[in-house]
Amino acid sequence: MRKPTRIAGYAAAGLAGLGALVLLLDFNRYKPRIEAAASEAAGMEVRIGGDIGLGFYPGLRVRVEDLRVRNRGSDLLAVERLRVGVDWLTLLRGRVEVASLHLGRPVVLIERGRDGRYNFEKDAPRGDPLPPLQLGRLSVADATLRHVDRQTGRTFEAVNCDVDARDIAFAGGPSAEILRQVALRAELGCATLKTADQAVSDLQLELAGQAGVFDLDPITLRAFEGKGTGTVRADFTGKAPRYTLRYDLAQFRLDAALKSLSPGHAPEGTADFSAELALQGTRARDLKRSLQGKASLRGRDIVLHGRDLDEVFDGVAASQSFNLVDVGAVLLAGPVGLAVTKGYDFASILQGAGGRSELRTLVSDWTVQRGVARAQDVAIATRRHRVAMQGRLDFVNARFDGVTVALVDARGCATVQQKIRGTFAQPVIDKPSTLSALTGPVVRLFRKVVPGDKCETFYAGSVAAPQ
């Protein structure tokens, strides 16, 4: 018998013997020992509620049903089906190497307690280095991820998520170095991601990472019935992580985006949003301080229900019966986020007794430096009027900085203006400026009497004066 034939015969005999051994061996008898060993290795409580067994197609697989991991008194992970693929060739050489890992219907619960600690933190973290890892494929099917913050009451959930990761490699070493040394390629998709009042759907992304740099490119999703696309780069090679992102959301519906602010009077129409931002740090405050880039919201032919702004602006006593700052809500609720509007009822603009307003144009362009957003070109145009905004929003200290909302004429001069200052949580709304009484017919009469009057231009942006 030739040598290759003998080797093949020995391998076949060995596999047949292994198969016979598996048929005689009941792995469930050793479940307590397996649970104890897994708990010791993980530093958490590991329990197996179902069967443990072996399969041979495709390839040798260890099968575990109903795996659960608990830590700090709460469920951290529950996996309905776990499959571990073992490499045949290395097994014949006397070594066990994991070739693939599959998790079926896992549920991951990340919980932050009232004490500020997460349920995945260990009471006595070990300083042992992590072992090397080489994994050909990791697949996750129908996963659910939940995050609960007991301090703030905020929640997040991602459902129906699938992951297909390949070529995963880690040379081993301290856990703090894992992001700098791991390499992988992955595709991820989730049907829905939602918080208490917002949701996005159809998330798809591709991930590639090595040597501490990870690229999520492309990222696609659906939000507020608009299509979103973007990229993210995370760089962990320096002392502090650095992040750069680009995001565009085309033709999203304003009523879907603002329904939490004004459920009964949400505006009609669509808009486009875009952002290019960079930030770095490990703590939230450091990330805010380093934030820089630009953001933009633009839309046309938007309808606001509740008030007819043109009628309000035409009135001589407009400033006495209506706050211009309320109009600023339409501008603030753009790229700078709804967070700044939660301390004040800006939504009152949408809650009038009747009427409607047509916004022919909405432009809200901002630049961001060191966590402070500056109004670059921020204005709206109704059928007969323009309203513009100047100032800065300090996200580091959560304050309004020199924010002024003004009704401007065809020359860009402010005829009525009003300032907002203080914190986002407790803003202070100043009274309208002295010229606030000179609106409508009074202003027109004044200009006829003094035709050569000059003013300091308040707005010179891209929103044209109504004809």
Side-chain angles (χ1 to χ4, degrees):
M1 182 180 295
R2 291 179 297 179
K3 187 175 181 180
T5 306
R6 288 200 306 270
I7 294 176
Y10 293 152
L15 294 177
L18 180 61
L21 178 62
V22 170
L23 293 175
L24 296 174
L25 184 63
D26 182 7
F27 284 90
N28 293 292
R29 294 173 55 188
Y30 299 93
K31 188 185 297 184
R33 296 184 183 179
I34 295 173
E35 290 175 336
S39 298
E40 174 67 20
M44 303 178 185
E45 180 185 347
V46 179
R47 292 290 180 265
I48 300 172
D51 293 335
I52 305 175
L54 290 182
F56 293 95
Y57 182 80
L60 177 62
R61 296 177 297 125
V62 178
R63 182 185 72 254
V64 179
E65 308 290 339
D66 192 15
L67 173 69
R68 297 180 179 273
V69 179
R70 288 178 58 84
N71 191 48
R72 297 180 59 79
S74 68
D75 290 328
L76 177 61
L77 172 66
V79 182
E80 189 173 295
R81 300 180 304 277
L82 175 65
R83 305 287 185 269
V84 182
V86 179
D87 189 282
W88 276 110
L89 294 178
T90 57
L91 186 63
L92 292 173
R93 296 178 185 137
R95 301 195 314 271
V96 177
E97 290 187 6
V98 176
S100 63
L101 187 63
H102 173 77
L103 286 73
R105 302 195 70 181
V107 177
V108 181
L109 173 61
I110 304 298
E111 183 174 297
R112 185 188 188 199
R114 298 186 184 279
D115 60 356
R117 298 189 63 185
Y118 288 93
N119 62 342
F120 55 78
E121 296 183 46
K122 300 177 183 179
D123 292 331
R126 299 178 178 178
D128 300 338
L130 297 173
L133 172 66
Q134 194 82 27
L135 184 62
R137 184 178 184 185
L138 167 65
S139 60
V140 180
D142 197 10
T144 298
L145 170 65
R146 296 189 180 98
H147 178 265
V148 178
D149 192 326
R150 301 295 181 187
Q151 283 190 330
T152 64
R154 296 174 181 170
T155 61
F156 168 82
E157 184 177 55
V159 298
N160 300 129
C161 298
D162 297 325
V163 179
D164 187 4
R166 299 176 182 272
D167 304 328
I168 304 170
F170 174 61
S175 58
E177 297 293 322
I178 188 170
L179 291 176
R180 297 181 182 181
Q181 299 187 29
V182 71
L184 79 161
R185 295 183 299 113
E187 297 177 356
L188 179 145
C190 290
T192 306
L193 294 85
K194 57 184 177 180
T195 61
D197 53 8
Q198 302 289 353
V200 301
S201 61
D202 299 331
L203 172 68
Q204 300 287 332
L205 64 85
E206 295 183 11
L207 167 66
Q210 63 178 353
V213 179
F214 296 83
D215 287 301
L216 284 72
D217 185 9
I219 304 171
T220 62
L221 54 83
R222 299 285 300 179
F224 313 127
E225 302 187 26
K227 182 179 180 180
T229 59
T231 63
V232 174
R233 166 165 283 197
D235 187 339
F236 299 96
T237 58
K239 292 183 178 180
R242 299 191 301 272
Y243 307 94
T244 57
L245 64 91
R246 177 190 62 78
Y247 179 68
D248 297 287
L249 182 60
Q251 293 296 289
F252 72 94
R253 290 183 52 173
L254 290 169
D255 56 346
L258 300 178
K259 64 181 180 181
S260 62
L261 195 64
S262 180
H265 298 80
E268 296 179 7
T270 61
D272 298 320
F273 170 76
S274 63
E276 294 182 13
L277 300 171
L279 62 164
Q280 67 179 45
T282 55
R283 299 180 303 175
R285 187 169 182 83
D286 294 334
L287 292 171
K288 289 180 181 180
R289 284 184 179 277
S290 65
L291 184 65
Q292 62 180 12
K294 58 184 180 180
S296 175
L297 176 75
R298 295 195 170 212
R300 289 184 176 276
D301 301 324
I302 299 167
V303 177
L304 303 181
H305 295 281
R307 293 178 185 267
D308 186 332
L309 294 181
D310 280 321
E311 287 189 1
V312 174
F313 296 149
D314 281 340
V316 176
S319 62
Q320 299 175 7
S321 61
F322 184 74
N323 272 332
L324 279 172
V325 170
D326 290 339
V327 182
V330 180
L331 312 178
L332 286 169
V336 296
L338 294 177
V340 299
T341 69
K342 292 182 179 179
Y344 178 79
D345 185 20
F346 289 112
S348 62
I349 185 178
L350 307 176
Q351 297 173 354
R356 65 199 297 271
S357 302
E358 297 181 14
L359 304 187
R360 298 291 179 87
T361 309
L362 162 64
V363 171
S364 187
D365 294 347
W366 300 75
T367 58
V368 186
Q369 288 290 334
R370 298 180 180 179
V372 179
R374 181 187 183 93
Q376 193 74 18
D377 183 358
V378 182
I380 59 174
T382 64
R383 290 174 299 169
R384 298 194 298 272
H385 298 88
R386 284 188 300 174
V387 178
M389 175 183 287
Q390 293 181 354
R392 294 168 295 276
L393 300 169
D394 183 349
F395 289 102
V396 178
N397 300 299
R399 298 185 64 86
F400 295 96
D401 181 9
V403 175
T404 303
V405 182
L407 182 66
V408 296
D409 61 17
R411 301 171 300 168
C413 303
T415 59
V416 182
Q417 65 181 24
Q418 196 169 18
K419 297 182 182 294
I420 177 172
R421 52 191 172 84
T423 66
F424 294 164
Q426 294 181 322
V428 177
I429 312 299
D430 290 350
K431 292 182 178 181
S433 64
T434 305
L435 288 177
S436 63
L438 301 179
T439 61
V442 177
V443 169
R444 291 192 289 270
L445 177 61
F446 178 77
R447 288 176 186 160
K448 289 180 180 180
V449 175
V450 190
D453 64 311
K454 297 182 180 180
C455 73
E456 181 179 351
T457 300
F458 183 91
Y459 178 74
S462 62
V463 176
Q467 298 300 321

